[in-house]
Amino acid sequence: MLIPNSIATEILHHPLWENQGIELSIKRLDQVHAQASGNKFYKLKYNLEEAKKQGKTTLLTFGGAYSNHIYATAAAAEYAGFKSIGIIRGEETLPLNPTLGAAQSHGMELHYLNRSVYRNKKEEAFIENLKKELGDFYLVPEGGTNALAVKGTAEIMTEADAGYSHICTSIGTGGTFSGLARSIGPEQVLIGFSSLKGDFIHEEIYSLLTQFQIHPKGKIEIMNQYHFGGYGKHNEELLDFIRWFYQEFQIPLDPVYTGKMVFGVLNQIKNRSIPAGAKVLLLHTGGIQGLAGFNQRFGLSLPL
Ligand SMILES: *Cc1c(COP(=O)(O)O)cnc(C)c1O
């Protein structure tokens, strides 16, 4: 139902890493699909198939007002012929920001819940009530992480990626990291860069690996020192980095996920935590849709 474009992997040339004997490449998952880009394509793919199998005609999911997941669910649902409902955290703000505006233009029906009610999003009784109010739906959880999402993200790495020694991704809920952990080879190191502040992410990841019975063949590492103040937070250093990266490579990064991850990887290279001879693969997980809203909100003009 969702058919991927072919994905390019580009080698990035720069003395910052080449002088240390490190090869750095980036896999452009952001180009996998015009509607559902980046890791969200992989997370939604099998969920859409399952929804169709169950005979559902509507997808419902949860998210914040700038959520890449909300946008991708709206776009993918429309593409695959589903109706979609987005339950948005917080009050309605008009005019709609670019993310919600785009979601709505892809046919998503938006409902708003204040933060305290929104917290019930995982409660069965609450979901049943939503079904009574809004009609039947296939539920995609907030952030999109479930067993079928992990099945999808396990397909991000292919045989062509077997030669990389280090695979780097950003972490939100950890669904993408978990799928990658399932697919790395014994000689590979998977490094996840958390966009959220706090040590909880270690436990979160281990509970996902347990839940989905994932036993990584290679080594996994989680970095949580590159959150820049927390989820959705940023500073000038991060924005300058994103501008620099675009100038050098003409590849846009977003300030919520990929910007922090690539910053972290280059910092790890600078620290010599990634050894000479390493072949490093950055996964560009997407998120570019969020840049318009980010620019508007903070009066910036980051490249997109
Ligand atoms: C959603 C998202 C992530 C986080 O993915 P998880 O599976 O929730 O960890 C990373 N990068 C981008 C660009 C995203 O949109």
Side-chain angles (χ1 to χ4, degrees):
M1 293 205 303
L2 290 185
I3 298 159
N5 298 323
S6 68
I7 299 165
T9 298
E10 305 165 33
I11 297 190
L12 304 177
H13 294 290
H14 200 284
L16 270 178
W17 42 91
E18 291 182 334
N19 286 350
Q20 278 177 233
I22 292 173
E23 185 188 295
L24 188 66
S25 303
I26 187 164
K27 186 165 181 168
R28 301 294 304 274
L29 305 175
D30 55 315
Q31 297 174 341
V32 67
H33 197 273
Q35 272 77 34
S37 113
N39 61 343
K40 302 302 185 281
F41 171 91
Y42 298 90
K43 295 180 81 168
L44 286 165
K45 179 180 156 189
Y46 289 112
N47 276 294
L48 293 180
E49 287 188 17
E50 179 61 23
K52 196 142 267 180
K53 233 184 261 170
Q54 292 181 14
K56 308 279 184 178
T57 55
T58 302
L59 306 181
L60 178 141
T61 196
F62 295 87
Y66 292 90
S67 164
N68 295 330
H69 167 68
I70 284 288
Y71 173 80
T73 304
E78 180 187 53
Y79 183 82
F82 291 96
K83 288 185 213 153
S84 66
I85 299 174
I87 307 289
I88 310 301
R89 184 181 62 234
E91 308 280 305
E92 180 179 35
T93 313
L94 293 173
L96 292 177
N97 74 40
T99 297
L100 294 182
Q104 192 179 57
S105 76
H106 284 296
M108 184 175 260
E109 183 183 311
L110 300 173
H111 294 269
Y112 299 84
L113 289 180
N114 72 43
R115 280 156 201 272
S116 61
V117 180
Y118 186 90
R119 275 190 210 110
N120 299 320
K121 64 196 178 231
K122 289 184 181 164
E123 307 284 331
E124 218 165 294
F126 179 72
I127 300 297
E128 281 314 307
N129 260 334
L130 283 178
K131 285 189 177 166
K132 273 184 210 140
E133 249 176 71
L134 303 170
D136 191 32
F137 52 76
Y138 179 88
L139 176 68
V140 182
E142 182 184 46
T145 291
N146 59 13
L148 291 174
V150 170
K151 181 179 173 190
T153 57
E155 296 178 358
I156 290 176
M157 300 265 290
T158 64
E159 250 160 59
D161 303 319
Y164 294 102
S165 59
H166 295 71
I167 316 297
C168 304
T169 188
S170 61
I171 295 179
T173 62
T176 303
F177 185 88
S178 300
L180 292 166
R182 180 173 274 162
S183 55
I184 54 168
E187 307 297 327
Q188 293 183 310
V189 185
L190 172 65
I191 314 178
F193 294 80
S194 180
S195 289
L196 289 80
K197 187 172 171 175
D199 286 333
F200 77 95
I201 194 65
H202 292 273
E203 266 185 47
E204 183 69 25
I205 295 285
Y206 283 99
S207 97
L208 287 174
L209 296 183
T210 309
Q211 185 187 341
F212 300 127
Q213 300 180 316
I214 296 168
H215 309 285
K217 292 197 195 82
K219 212 170 140 203
I220 61 169
E221 289 176 14
I222 299 162
M223 303 280 155
N224 67 348
Q225 66 271 47
Y226 301 108
H227 55 70
F228 287 86
Y231 186 73
K233 302 272 170 40
H234 68 276
N235 65 16
E236 271 313 307
E237 187 183 20
L238 178 65
L239 301 182
D240 283 343
F241 174 75
I242 288 171
R243 293 186 190 104
W244 171 81
F245 192 82
Y246 188 82
Q247 250 173 17
E248 293 286 329
F249 307 110
Q250 290 74 55
I251 298 174
L253 299 174
D254 80 293
V256 181
Y257 293 108
T258 54
K260 293 179 181 181
M261 182 271 288
V262 180
F263 181 99
V265 174
L266 298 200
N267 190 255
Q268 290 289 304
I269 290 176
K270 197 162 128 201
N271 292 341
R272 315 260 158 177
S273 302
I274 295 180
K279 287 183 74 172
V280 179
L281 183 66
L282 307 169
L283 296 175
H284 195 313
T285 45
I288 301 311
Q289 76 76 26
L291 270 167
F294 188 85
N295 280 337
Q296 187 188 71
R297 195 165 157 209
F298 296 104
L300 298 167
S301 51
L302 291 177
L304 41 120

